[in-house]
Amino acid sequence: MIREPDCVVIGAGPAGLAAAIEASRAGLSDVLLIERDIELGGILPQCIHDGFGSIVFKETLTGPQYAQKFIDELGRSNVEVMLETMVIDLAPDRTVTAINSTNGIMEIRPGSVVLAMGCRERTRYQILLPGYRPAGVLTAGVAQRYINIEAVMPGRDVVILGSGDIGLIMARRFTLEGAHVEGVYEIQDDTGGLTRNVVQCLHDYDIPLHLSHTITFIHGSNRVEGVTVSAVDDGLRPVEGSDRYVPCDTLMLSVGLIPENELSKRADVKLDPVTGGPVVDESMQTSVDGIFACGNVINVFDLVDYVTRSAQVAGRGAARFVLEGRSRKAPVRVTPGRNLRFVIPQVIHDFDGEIDFYFRVEQPEKSVRYSVLADGERLSGRKAKMVRPPEMIKSSAGPPPGGAVKEITVEVTPSE
Protein backbone atom coordinates (compact mmCIF):
# COMPACT_ATOMS: atom_id res chain seq x y z
CA MET A 1 0.00 0.00 0.00
CA ILE A 2 1.50 3.32 -1.11
CA ARG A 3 0.22 6.75 -0.05
CA GLU A 4 1.40 10.28 -0.82
CA PRO A 5 -0.16 12.73 1.68
CA ASP A 6 0.95 16.34 2.06
CA CYS A 7 2.26 15.76 5.56
CA VAL A 8 2.70 12.91 8.03
CA VAL A 9 2.77 13.60 11.78
CA ILE A 10 4.23 10.74 13.83
CA GLY A 11 2.78 10.57 17.33
CA ALA A 12 -0.59 11.83 18.60
CA GLY A 13 0.30 13.16 22.02
CA PRO A 14 0.06 16.88 22.80
CA ALA A 15 2.78 17.69 20.24
CA GLY A 16 1.38 15.58 17.41
CA LEU A 17 -2.19 16.79 17.91
CA ALA A 18 -1.16 20.45 17.83
CA ALA A 19 1.18 19.98 14.86
CA ALA A 20 -1.40 18.15 12.75
CA ILE A 21 -4.11 20.73 13.46
CA GLU A 22 -1.76 23.62 12.70
CA ALA A 23 -0.56 22.04 9.43
CA SER A 24 -4.18 21.69 8.36
CA ARG A 25 -4.98 25.28 9.35
CA ALA A 26 -1.96 26.47 7.35
CA GLY A 27 -3.48 25.14 4.13
CA LEU A 28 -2.62 21.45 3.76
CA SER A 29 -5.57 19.38 2.58
CA ASP A 30 -4.12 15.91 3.27
CA VAL A 31 -2.53 15.56 6.70
CA LEU A 32 -2.03 12.06 8.13
CA LEU A 33 -1.60 11.62 11.90
CA ILE A 34 -0.13 8.25 12.92
CA GLU A 35 -0.34 6.91 16.49
CA ARG A 36 0.75 3.51 17.78
CA ASP A 37 -1.62 3.53 20.78
CA ILE A 38 -5.33 2.74 20.82
CA GLU A 39 -6.34 6.34 21.57
CA LEU A 40 -5.24 9.93 21.03
CA GLY A 41 -3.56 12.09 23.65
CA GLY A 42 -0.28 10.36 24.41
CA ILE A 43 0.53 10.54 28.11
CA LEU A 44 -2.19 13.10 28.89
CA PRO A 45 -5.10 10.68 29.60
CA GLN A 46 -3.26 9.30 32.63
CA CYS A 47 -2.29 12.76 33.97
CA ILE A 48 -5.45 13.39 35.97
CA HIS A 49 -3.90 16.17 38.08
CA ASP A 50 -4.41 19.80 37.08
CA GLY A 51 -1.81 22.36 36.03
CA PHE A 52 -2.17 22.15 32.24
CA GLY A 53 -3.23 24.93 29.88
CA SER A 54 -2.46 28.12 31.79
CA ILE A 55 -0.48 29.52 28.84
CA VAL A 56 -2.35 28.11 25.84
CA PHE A 57 -5.92 28.34 27.18
CA LYS A 58 -5.50 30.78 30.10
CA GLU A 59 -7.16 28.27 32.42
CA THR A 60 -6.11 25.36 34.61
CA LEU A 61 -7.01 21.94 33.19
CA THR A 62 -6.31 18.29 33.89
CA GLY A 63 -4.37 16.26 31.34
CA PRO A 64 -7.49 14.60 29.85
CA GLN A 65 -9.25 17.98 29.60
CA TYR A 66 -6.25 19.51 27.85
CA ALA A 67 -6.06 16.62 25.38
CA GLN A 68 -9.80 16.71 24.71
CA LYS A 69 -9.68 20.32 23.54
CA PHE A 70 -7.29 19.30 20.77
CA ILE A 71 -9.12 16.07 20.02
CA ASP A 72 -12.34 18.08 19.53
CA GLU A 73 -10.52 20.49 17.23
CA LEU A 74 -9.00 17.58 15.33
CA GLY A 75 -12.52 16.24 14.69
CA ARG A 76 -13.42 19.53 13.00
CA SER A 77 -10.37 19.40 10.72
CA ASN A 78 -9.53 17.42 7.61
CA VAL A 79 -6.74 15.48 9.38
CA GLU A 80 -6.85 11.70 8.89
CA VAL A 81 -5.96 9.62 11.94
CA MET A 82 -4.44 6.13 11.98
CA LEU A 83 -4.46 4.53 15.44
CA GLU A 84 -2.73 1.28 16.40
CA THR A 85 -0.23 1.95 13.64
CA MET A 86 3.50 1.65 14.20
CA VAL A 87 6.05 3.59 12.16
CA ILE A 88 8.97 1.22 11.76
CA ASP A 89 11.23 3.27 9.49
CA LEU A 90 11.86 6.80 8.25
CA ALA A 91 14.28 7.39 5.39
CA PRO A 92 16.24 10.61 4.72
CA ASP A 93 14.04 11.17 1.64
CA ARG A 94 11.02 11.34 4.04
CA THR A 95 9.65 7.92 3.05
CA VAL A 96 7.73 6.52 6.02
CA THR A 97 7.22 2.78 6.52
CA ALA A 98 4.34 1.91 8.84
CA ILE A 99 2.41 -1.21 9.77
CA ASN A 100 -0.97 -2.07 11.28
CA SER A 101 -3.32 -5.07 11.38
CA THR A 102 -5.72 -3.64 8.79
CA ASN A 103 -3.44 -2.42 5.99
CA GLY A 104 -0.33 -4.45 6.65
CA ILE A 105 2.89 -2.73 5.61
CA MET A 106 2.43 0.76 4.18
CA GLU A 107 4.90 2.90 2.29
CA ILE A 108 4.05 6.58 2.72
CA ARG A 109 5.73 9.32 0.70
CA PRO A 110 4.70 12.65 2.24
CA GLY A 111 5.68 16.16 1.27
CA SER A 112 6.85 16.79 4.85
CA VAL A 113 7.16 14.91 8.14
CA VAL A 114 6.71 16.08 11.73
CA LEU A 115 8.40 14.03 14.44
CA ALA A 116 6.28 14.08 17.61
CA MET A 117 7.12 10.77 19.30
CA GLY A 118 7.63 12.26 22.77
CA CYS A 119 10.03 10.79 25.31
CA ARG A 120 10.56 7.71 27.47
CA GLU A 121 11.62 7.12 31.08
CA ARG A 122 15.06 6.09 32.25
CA THR A 123 15.11 2.70 33.95
CA ARG A 124 17.22 1.25 36.77
CA TYR A 125 19.63 -0.18 34.20
CA GLN A 126 20.36 3.21 32.71
CA ILE A 127 21.40 4.59 36.09
CA LEU A 128 23.30 1.39 37.06
CA LEU A 129 21.24 0.79 40.20
CA PRO A 130 22.69 -2.31 41.96
CA GLY A 131 20.82 -5.10 43.70
CA TYR A 132 18.50 -7.98 42.95
CA ARG A 133 15.74 -8.03 40.33
CA PRO A 134 12.51 -8.43 42.32
CA ALA A 135 8.99 -7.36 41.41
CA GLY A 136 7.99 -3.94 42.70
CA VAL A 137 10.59 -1.82 40.91
CA LEU A 138 8.85 0.46 38.40
CA THR A 139 9.07 3.89 36.83
CA ALA A 140 6.83 6.80 37.78
CA GLY A 141 4.94 6.81 34.48
CA VAL A 142 4.15 3.11 34.79
CA ALA A 143 2.91 3.61 38.35
CA GLN A 144 0.77 6.50 37.15
CA ARG A 145 -0.84 4.34 34.48
CA TYR A 146 -1.47 1.49 36.91
CA ILE A 147 -3.33 3.73 39.37
CA ASN A 148 -5.05 6.25 37.08
CA ILE A 149 -5.93 4.05 34.09
CA GLU A 150 -5.84 0.43 35.25
CA ALA A 151 -7.12 1.11 38.83
CA VAL A 152 -4.38 -1.11 40.26
CA MET A 153 -2.24 -0.19 43.29
CA PRO A 154 1.39 -1.20 42.61
CA GLY A 155 2.29 -1.21 46.31
CA ARG A 156 1.63 0.10 49.81
CA ASP A 157 5.03 1.00 51.28
CA VAL A 158 6.82 3.14 48.74
CA VAL A 159 10.31 4.59 48.37
CA ILE A 160 10.89 7.03 45.51
CA LEU A 161 14.27 7.59 43.87
CA GLY A 162 14.56 10.88 41.99
CA SER A 163 12.58 14.08 42.25
CA GLY A 164 11.34 14.56 38.69
CA ASP A 165 7.88 16.04 38.29
CA ILE A 166 6.06 12.75 37.65
CA GLY A 167 7.71 11.26 40.71
CA LEU A 168 6.63 14.19 42.89
CA ILE A 169 3.07 13.99 41.57
CA MET A 170 2.97 10.23 42.17
CA ALA A 171 4.21 10.67 45.74
CA ARG A 172 1.03 12.64 46.36
CA ARG A 173 -1.07 10.18 44.36
CA PHE A 174 0.16 7.17 46.34
CA THR A 175 -0.58 9.03 49.57
CA LEU A 176 -4.10 9.94 48.47
CA GLU A 177 -4.76 6.26 47.72
CA GLY A 178 -3.72 5.24 51.22
CA ALA A 179 -0.14 4.11 50.64
CA HIS A 180 2.77 5.16 52.85
CA VAL A 181 5.54 7.04 51.03
CA GLU A 182 8.63 6.73 53.22
CA GLY A 183 10.47 9.46 51.34
CA VAL A 184 11.85 10.85 48.11
CA TYR A 185 15.61 10.46 47.62
CA GLU A 186 17.45 12.79 45.20
CA ILE A 187 21.13 12.36 44.36
CA GLN A 188 21.58 16.05 43.50
CA ASP A 189 21.59 18.87 46.05
CA ASP A 190 18.45 20.40 44.52
CA THR A 191 15.16 18.96 43.33
CA GLY A 192 14.65 17.91 39.72
CA GLY A 193 11.03 19.10 39.49
CA LEU A 194 9.07 22.33 39.44
CA THR A 195 8.93 24.28 42.69
CA ARG A 196 5.14 24.14 42.69
CA ASN A 197 5.23 20.34 42.63
CA VAL A 198 7.69 20.18 45.53
CA VAL A 199 5.36 22.36 47.60
CA GLN A 200 2.00 20.89 46.54
CA CYS A 201 3.03 17.23 46.39
CA LEU A 202 5.62 16.85 49.16
CA HIS A 203 5.41 19.71 51.65
CA ASP A 204 1.61 19.77 51.75
CA TYR A 205 1.52 16.02 52.52
CA ASP A 206 4.50 15.88 54.89
CA ILE A 207 6.45 13.56 52.59
CA PRO A 208 10.18 13.74 53.43
CA LEU A 209 12.63 14.89 50.75
CA HIS A 210 16.23 13.70 51.15
CA LEU A 211 18.62 15.69 48.95
CA SER A 212 22.16 14.43 48.23
CA HIS A 213 21.00 10.84 48.82
CA THR A 214 20.69 7.82 46.57
CA ILE A 215 19.86 4.12 46.67
CA THR A 216 22.85 1.82 46.71
CA PHE A 217 21.14 -1.59 46.81
CA ILE A 218 17.76 -3.21 46.15
CA HIS A 219 16.86 -6.10 48.49
CA GLY A 220 14.37 -8.91 47.88
CA SER A 221 14.18 -12.10 45.82
CA ASN A 222 10.57 -12.31 44.62
CA ARG A 223 9.23 -8.91 45.76
CA VAL A 224 11.10 -5.80 46.91
CA GLU A 225 11.70 -6.08 50.65
CA GLY A 226 13.72 -2.93 51.17
CA VAL A 227 16.47 -0.68 49.87
CA THR A 228 19.75 0.65 51.19
CA VAL A 229 20.01 4.44 50.99
CA SER A 230 23.19 6.46 51.35
CA ALA A 231 24.25 10.07 51.46
CA VAL A 232 26.52 11.20 48.61
CA ASP A 233 29.43 13.62 48.53
CA ASP A 234 30.06 16.48 46.07
CA GLY A 235 31.21 13.94 43.49
CA LEU A 236 27.93 12.00 43.88
CA ARG A 237 29.78 9.09 45.49
CA PRO A 238 28.18 7.27 48.46
CA VAL A 239 29.55 8.45 51.80
CA GLU A 240 31.04 5.60 53.81
CA GLY A 241 29.10 4.89 56.98
CA SER A 242 25.94 6.73 55.87
CA ASP A 243 24.11 3.57 54.74
CA ARG A 244 20.59 3.02 56.07
CA TYR A 245 18.17 0.16 55.36
CA VAL A 246 14.61 1.22 54.50
CA PRO A 247 11.91 -1.49 54.33
CA CYS A 248 9.43 -1.15 51.44
CA ASP A 249 7.45 -3.23 48.96
CA THR A 250 7.74 -0.78 46.06
CA LEU A 251 10.60 1.26 44.61
CA MET A 252 9.46 3.92 42.14
CA LEU A 253 12.01 5.60 39.87
CA SER A 254 11.73 9.19 38.69
CA VAL A 255 15.23 9.58 37.31
CA GLY A 256 14.75 11.47 34.08
CA LEU A 257 13.28 11.30 30.59
CA ILE A 258 14.94 10.69 27.22
CA PRO A 259 13.72 12.09 23.88
CA GLU A 260 12.45 9.25 21.66
CA ASN A 261 14.67 9.54 18.59
CA GLU A 262 15.21 6.14 17.01
CA LEU A 263 13.32 7.30 13.90
CA SER A 264 15.30 10.54 13.84
CA LYS A 265 18.51 8.53 13.70
CA ARG A 266 17.13 6.35 10.89
CA ALA A 267 16.52 9.51 8.86
CA ASP A 268 20.08 10.79 9.49
CA VAL A 269 18.75 13.76 11.46
CA LYS A 270 21.52 15.58 13.32
CA LEU A 271 21.08 15.27 17.10
CA ASP A 272 22.21 17.74 19.77
CA PRO A 273 24.48 15.95 22.28
CA VAL A 274 23.18 18.11 25.13
CA THR A 275 19.40 17.85 24.61
CA GLY A 276 19.45 14.38 23.03
CA GLY A 277 17.01 15.64 20.38
CA PRO A 278 17.30 17.01 16.85
CA VAL A 279 19.02 20.27 16.05
CA VAL A 280 16.20 22.52 14.80
CA ASP A 281 15.83 25.98 13.29
CA GLU A 282 13.25 28.70 13.87
CA SER A 283 10.55 26.68 12.06
CA MET A 284 11.46 23.49 13.97
CA GLN A 285 12.96 22.02 10.79
CA THR A 286 15.74 19.52 11.40
CA SER A 287 18.99 19.15 9.48
CA VAL A 288 17.10 17.05 6.89
CA ASP A 289 14.95 19.08 4.47
CA GLY A 290 11.25 18.60 5.05
CA ILE A 291 11.58 16.78 8.38
CA PHE A 292 10.42 18.79 11.39
CA ALA A 293 10.45 17.96 15.10
CA CYS A 294 8.60 19.30 18.12
CA GLY A 295 7.74 18.73 21.76
CA ASN A 296 9.66 16.25 23.88
CA VAL A 297 11.38 14.81 20.82
CA ILE A 298 13.62 17.91 20.67
CA ASN A 299 13.98 18.31 24.43
CA VAL A 300 12.00 17.26 27.49
CA PHE A 301 9.84 20.29 28.33
CA ASP A 302 8.52 20.89 31.83
CA LEU A 303 5.21 22.44 30.64
CA VAL A 304 2.84 20.88 28.12
CA ASP A 305 1.94 24.40 26.96
CA TYR A 306 5.50 24.80 25.64
CA VAL A 307 5.19 21.42 23.90
CA THR A 308 2.09 22.74 22.16
CA ARG A 309 3.72 26.03 21.14
CA SER A 310 6.72 24.27 19.60
CA ALA A 311 4.37 21.88 17.77
CA GLN A 312 2.32 24.71 16.29
CA VAL A 313 5.52 26.23 14.91
CA ALA A 314 6.50 22.83 13.44
CA GLY A 315 3.04 22.36 11.88
CA ARG A 316 3.19 25.75 10.19
CA GLY A 317 6.73 25.07 9.02
CA ALA A 318 5.79 21.67 7.58
CA ALA A 319 2.89 23.25 5.68
CA ARG A 320 5.03 26.08 4.34
CA PHE A 321 7.65 23.60 3.14
CA VAL A 322 5.00 21.76 1.07
CA LEU A 323 3.19 24.84 -0.23
CA GLU A 324 6.16 27.08 -0.95
CA GLY A 325 9.07 24.71 -1.43
CA ARG A 326 10.98 26.97 0.92
CA SER A 327 14.75 27.03 0.52
CA ARG A 328 17.07 27.70 3.42
CA LYS A 329 19.44 30.63 3.74
CA ALA A 330 22.87 30.30 5.30
CA PRO A 331 22.44 29.30 8.95
CA VAL A 332 23.14 31.63 11.87
CA ARG A 333 24.26 29.82 15.00
CA VAL A 334 22.44 30.34 18.29
CA THR A 335 24.97 30.21 21.13
CA PRO A 336 24.14 29.48 24.78
CA GLY A 337 25.87 32.15 26.84
CA ARG A 338 26.64 32.52 30.52
CA ASN A 339 25.08 29.86 32.82
CA LEU A 340 23.08 28.25 30.01
CA ARG A 341 23.07 24.55 29.23
CA PHE A 342 21.40 24.80 25.81
CA VAL A 343 19.12 26.92 23.64
CA ILE A 344 16.40 25.84 21.20
CA PRO A 345 16.42 26.56 18.27
CA GLN A 346 20.12 25.92 17.75
CA VAL A 347 20.26 27.63 14.34
CA ILE A 348 18.29 30.29 12.48
CA HIS A 349 17.88 30.43 8.71
CA ASP A 350 15.29 33.21 8.40
CA PHE A 351 15.03 35.81 11.15
CA ASP A 352 12.07 37.54 9.55
CA GLY A 353 9.61 37.39 12.46
CA GLU A 354 9.35 36.80 16.18
CA ILE A 355 11.09 33.64 17.39
CA ASP A 356 10.54 31.78 20.66
CA PHE A 357 13.76 30.68 22.35
CA TYR A 358 13.66 27.92 24.98
CA PHE A 359 16.59 27.38 27.34
CA ARG A 360 17.68 25.98 30.71
CA VAL A 361 20.31 27.24 33.12
CA GLU A 362 23.16 25.09 34.39
CA GLN A 363 23.06 26.36 37.98
CA PRO A 364 20.35 27.95 40.15
CA GLU A 365 20.76 31.70 40.43
CA LYS A 366 18.85 34.57 42.03
CA SER A 367 18.21 38.11 40.75
CA VAL A 368 19.10 37.67 37.08
CA ARG A 369 18.24 38.99 33.66
CA TYR A 370 17.95 36.69 30.66
CA SER A 371 18.57 38.25 27.25
CA VAL A 372 18.58 37.47 23.54
CA LEU A 373 21.44 39.24 21.75
CA ALA A 374 22.16 39.76 18.05
CA ASP A 375 25.85 40.43 17.49
CA GLY A 376 26.04 41.75 21.04
CA GLU A 377 22.97 44.01 20.81
CA ARG A 378 20.06 43.10 23.08
CA LEU A 379 16.87 42.20 21.21
CA SER A 380 14.83 41.27 24.26
CA GLY A 381 15.30 40.63 27.94
CA ARG A 382 13.54 40.17 31.22
CA LYS A 383 14.40 40.10 34.90
CA ALA A 384 13.74 37.04 37.07
CA LYS A 385 13.90 36.59 40.83
CA MET A 386 15.31 33.09 40.41
CA VAL A 387 16.14 30.56 37.71
CA ARG A 388 16.56 26.79 38.21
CA PRO A 389 17.71 23.97 35.87
CA PRO A 390 14.40 22.03 36.05
CA GLU A 391 12.35 25.07 34.99
CA MET A 392 12.59 25.92 31.31
CA ILE A 393 12.70 29.58 30.32
CA LYS A 394 11.03 30.95 27.21
CA SER A 395 11.96 34.30 25.72
CA SER A 396 10.71 35.77 22.44
CA ALA A 397 12.60 38.17 20.22
CA GLY A 398 11.88 39.95 16.95
CA PRO A 399 14.41 40.40 14.14
CA PRO A 400 17.30 42.83 14.61
CA PRO A 401 16.73 46.34 13.20
CA GLY A 402 19.61 46.05 10.76
CA GLY A 403 18.40 42.77 9.28
CA ALA A 404 21.62 40.84 8.76
CA VAL A 405 23.13 39.12 11.80
CA LYS A 406 26.17 36.90 12.28
CA GLU A 407 25.44 35.32 15.65
CA ILE A 408 22.59 35.06 18.15
CA THR A 409 23.47 34.65 21.82
CA VAL A 410 21.15 33.89 24.71
CA GLU A 411 22.52 34.52 28.18
CA VAL A 412 21.62 34.84 31.86
CA THR A 413 23.44 37.57 33.77
CA PRO A 414 23.15 39.15 37.23
CA SER A 415 20.37 41.72 37.29
CA GLU A 416 21.51 45.34 37.12
Side-chain angles (χ1 to χ4, degrees):
M1 182 179 179
I2 298 176
R3 294 202 47 192
E4 296 183 351
D6 293 331
C7 177
V8 164
V9 179
I10 304 174
L17 290 170
I21 291 169
E22 201 66 23
S24 176
R25 284 177 180 167
L28 296 187
S29 59
D30 188 4
V31 178
L32 177 60
L33 176 60
I34 300 177
E35 169 58 48
R36 65 185 179 185
D37 208 343
I38 62 173
E39 63 180 350
L40 301 169
I43 200 70
L44 290 175
Q46 71 184 53
C47 299
I48 64 174
H49 55 280
D50 64 9
F52 302 87
S54 59
I55 297 173
V56 173
F57 295 112
K58 311 301 181 187
E59 60 179 317
T60 301
L61 305 169
T62 66
Q65 288 173 325
Y66 189 89
Q68 194 61 49
K69 283 183 176 289
F70 288 96
I71 293 170
D72 292 344
E73 182 65 28
L74 190 74
R76 295 188 290 268
S77 73
N78 60 1
V79 175
E80 179 186 353
V81 176
M82 278 190 176
L83 295 175
E84 297 182 83
T85 302
M86 175 70 75
V87 174
I88 58 176
D89 196 21
L90 173 63
D93 66 357
R94 302 190 296 278
T95 298
V96 175
T97 305
I99 186 169
N100 63 29
S101 60
T102 302
N103 302 308
I105 297 177
M106 296 170 282
E107 183 176 294
I108 306 169
R109 302 169 184 170
S112 62
V113 174
V114 179
L115 304 174
M117 297 87 67
C119 59
R120 65 177 183 267
E121 296 180 278
R122 284 192 174 93
T123 68
R124 65 173 290 188
Y125 303 105
Q126 289 167 305
I127 60 170
L128 304 177
L129 187 58
Y132 297 107
R133 299 177 60 189
V137 181
L138 71 169
T139 59
V142 171
Q144 187 181 59
R145 181 172 182 89
Y146 276 151
I147 296 177
N148 295 345
I149 301 293
E150 310 295 341
V152 173
M153 276 295 285
R156 291 291 174 179
D157 293 295
V158 185
V159 168
I160 298 176
L161 176 62
S163 60
D165 285 309
I166 305 177
L168 299 176
I169 289 165
M170 287 309 298
R172 176 180 62 185
R173 191 76 179 94
F174 268 110
T175 302
L176 289 172
E177 290 296 333
H180 170 65
V181 179
E182 191 278 336
V184 175
Y185 294 85
E186 170 57 56
I187 195 170
Q188 301 291 341
D189 59 4
D190 192 15
T191 56
L194 297 172
T195 301
R196 74 181 188 199
N197 285 331
V198 175
V199 173
Q200 295 173 3
C201 301
L202 299 188
H203 295 175
D204 289 355
Y205 290 85
D206 296 322
I207 298 173
L209 172 63
H210 306 273
L211 298 175
S212 299
H213 279 74
T214 192
I215 290 172
T216 51
F217 203 85
I218 299 173
H219 303 270
S221 54
N222 295 320
R223 176 84 192 188
V224 174
E225 297 173 2
V227 295
T228 299
V229 300
S230 306
V232 298
D233 60 21
D234 292 342
L236 305 182
R237 296 177 294 267
V239 176
E240 187 175 353
S242 67
D243 295 357
R244 178 167 64 91
Y245 178 79
V246 178
C248 62
D249 64 14
T250 303
L251 171 61
M252 193 187 77
L253 306 178
S254 181
V255 291
L257 301 166
I258 305 169
E260 190 75 73
N261 272 298
E262 277 67 24
L263 289 176
S264 307
K265 295 174 184 176
R266 297 284 296 178
D268 292 337
V269 167
K270 181 181 179 181
L271 301 183
D272 186 320
V274 177
T275 65
V279 172
V280 294
D281 66 9
E282 73 286 350
S283 66
M284 295 296 162
Q285 188 169 200
T286 70
S287 59
V288 179
D289 287 344
I291 297 181
F292 298 75
C294 58
N296 289 343
V297 159
I298 56 174
N299 166 78
V300 179
F301 288 85
D302 52 355
L303 299 178
V304 72
D305 300 73
Y306 287 166
V307 168
T308 295
R309 291 298 191 219
S310 73
Q312 290 169 335
V313 172
R316 290 193 294 270
R320 191 163 55 243
F321 181 86
V322 173
L323 297 173
E324 301 177 11
R326 180 168 170 243
S327 60
R328 304 202 216 191
K329 299 177 182 176
V332 175
R333 190 162 61 101
V334 181
T335 303
R338 177 189 177 276
N339 194 22
L340 285 196
R341 187 162 178 261
F342 66 83
V343 180
I344 295 170
Q346 293 92 339
V347 296
I348 293 175
H349 290 101
D350 290 302
F351 205 159
D352 54 3
E354 189 170 84
I355 297 174
D356 292 334
F357 296 89
Y358 301 91
F359 46 96
R360 292 187 192 273
V361 296
E362 289 189 321
Q363 299 294 332
E365 193 172 9
K366 295 181 179 179
S367 300
V368 299
R369 174 189 289 274
Y370 49 86
S371 305
V372 179
L373 310 173
D375 296 333
E377 297 294 324
R378 182 178 293 161
L379 299 179
S380 67
R382 186 176 178 182
K383 293 182 178 180
K385 292 182 180 179
M386 185 172 186
V387 290
R388 300 176 60 241
E391 298 174 0
M392 180 166 278
I393 305 168
K394 172 180 165 292
S395 186
S396 302
V405 59
K406 295 180 180 178
E407 184 177 62
I408 301 294
T409 304
V410 182
E411 65 180 14
V412 172
T413 56
S415 181
E416 297 128 2

